[in-house]
Amino acid sequence: MRFAGSDTYVAPPDLAIAVNAAVTLERPLLVKGEPGTGKTELARQVAASLGLPIIEWSIKSTTKAQQGLYEYDAVSRLRDSQLGDARVNEVGHYIRRGKLWQAFEAPEKVVLLIDEIDKADIEFPNDLLQELDRMEFHVYETGETVAAIHRPIVIITSNNEKELPDAFLRRCFFHYIRFPDAETLKRIVEVHYPGLKPRLLEAALSQFLELREAPGLKKKPSTSELLDWLKLILAEDLSPEDLKREPGEMLPKLHGALLKNEQDVALFEKLAFMARRQGR
């Protein structure tokens, strides 16, 4: 099984190499990068490209590692015992299988996405070390051991909000998705908006990249925000001439799709004010 991108996902050579290396080594692939650079979509595209089902586990700040294995509903069992329900004698009725359990018991190899692992508590990655390494875990309530029928392809994403433990990093194959260069951006845009007029694309990309390179920007616009902006430009039927800014203007048309906080908008307004003063 080899991944090389797809018709709907542009994978740079180094990213394809990382995916295939992790598959060969049977190690989790830890993918970091700016938000909006396609980390989550990568797992979906790997699954689609290799013809495998995908199981997605989206991590939140309250997520515990145990939830990925299973959860034992002791409250429901106590209630049923008080009601005289015969099911209380079968502990398995009160075991809810987590995403790892689902991936381990799948009848075929699957892609398991653990999305945004850095949102969870710092102990979360450590709590999954043995399960991801050995591909098995013990269910204490029933006494059974759940082992993977087929070792899943594990893809873990992180937005780098917090450092991950060294012991966890040692067990992963790591790849950082760099922000695409201009040529790769053109290929990505072509996938989503085929046939976009070259002059319009050049004008839009020029303003987008200029915006990203502005010093002091708190949140740089991502690839996904570029695609949203282009969608609006096409919906408004804007031409390259329409995208041109008036003298002293710094903000591009429809900038709300690109700048997502007031500090960055204020920064460009300040730059525009300074430019107007210097132009007097």
Side-chain angles (χ1 to χ4, degrees):
M1 294 187 292
R2 304 289 295 177
F3 174 71
S6 69
D7 293 338
T8 57
Y9 188 88
V10 176
D14 61 336
L15 178 56
I17 289 171
V19 171
N20 292 319
V23 172
T24 300
L25 294 172
E26 295 187 326
R27 295 275 190 179
L29 173 63
L30 174 61
V31 184
K32 290 186 179 182
E34 293 180 29
T37 49
K39 300 185 296 296
T40 302
E41 187 61 24
L42 170 67
R44 296 168 183 160
Q45 292 297 328
V46 169
S49 176
L50 302 181
L52 301 176
I54 184 169
I55 295 175
E56 299 187 22
W57 186 16
S58 297
I59 307 304
K60 301 177 182 178
S61 60
T62 56
T63 304
K64 302 299 180 186
Q66 181 64 33
Q67 293 172 306
L69 308 179
Y70 68 92
E71 292 183 273
Y72 170 54
D73 191 352
V75 174
S76 293
R77 192 181 186 197
L78 175 61
R79 184 189 62 237
D80 289 347
S81 68
Q82 293 170 339
L83 295 175
D85 195 319
R87 293 191 307 168
V88 296
N89 297 317
E90 182 55 57
V91 180
H93 287 306
Y94 305 95
I95 301 289
R96 288 199 292 264
R97 299 178 180 185
K99 299 295 185 180
L100 265 72
W101 191 331
Q102 294 172 32
F104 287 3
E105 72 172 2
E108 59 182 318
K109 182 182 282 288
V110 302
V111 173
L112 172 63
L113 168 63
I114 304 177
D115 201 21
E116 298 189 331
I117 193 171
D118 52 324
K119 279 187 176 180
D121 183 86
I122 189 63
E123 291 304 319
F124 180 94
N126 281 333
D127 291 342
L128 289 178
L129 284 180
Q130 298 302 320
E131 288 77 12
L132 291 176
D133 203 23
R134 298 179 181 177
M135 286 290 153
E136 65 177 33
F137 62 89
H138 187 71
V139 183
Y140 296 98
E141 289 76 9
T142 63
E144 66 181 307
T145 296
V146 178
I149 300 172
H150 303 282
R151 193 178 186 97
I153 297 172
V154 182
I155 297 178
I156 303 169
T157 72
S158 169
N159 287 328
N160 231 4
E161 291 183 8
K162 63 170 68 84
E163 289 296 322
L164 299 173
D166 289 344
F168 179 79
L169 295 174
R170 282 199 302 272
R171 289 165 168 81
C172 298
F173 190 93
F174 172 76
H175 183 76
Y176 184 86
I177 298 182
R178 295 180 178 83
F179 191 80
D181 58 24
E183 288 306 312
T184 304
L185 282 175
K186 288 179 182 179
R187 290 170 56 204
I188 293 171
V189 171
E190 178 63 25
V191 165
H192 292 270
Y193 304 110
L196 190 66
K197 294 178 181 178
R199 285 185 60 244
L200 181 60
L201 177 58
E202 288 291 343
L205 275 185
S206 176
Q207 288 196 24
F208 173 77
L209 292 172
E210 181 184 330
L211 196 72
R212 269 189 60 88
E213 292 167 5
L217 205 60
K218 184 176 180 181
K219 183 191 178 304
K220 295 183 178 182
S222 66
T223 309
S224 63
E225 286 154 345
L226 168 64
L227 295 174
D228 286 345
W229 186 49
L230 287 171
K231 184 176 182 179
L232 287 175
I233 288 172
L234 292 172
E236 296 291 331
D237 196 24
L238 299 182
S239 67
E241 289 70 27
D242 293 326
L243 294 182
K244 289 181 179 178
R245 290 166 290 189
E246 296 295 327
E249 280 189 0
M250 301 295 291
L251 287 168
K253 299 284 194 304
L254 304 167
H255 64 268
L258 299 173
L259 300 176
K260 298 302 177 70
N261 61 68
E262 63 276 13
Q263 294 98 318
D264 288 342
V265 174
L267 171 66
F268 279 92
E269 289 174 342
K270 182 179 180 180
L271 290 173
F273 174 73
M274 293 171 64
R276 286 194 295 269
R277 288 190 63 182
Q278 291 174 358
R280 288 178 181 174

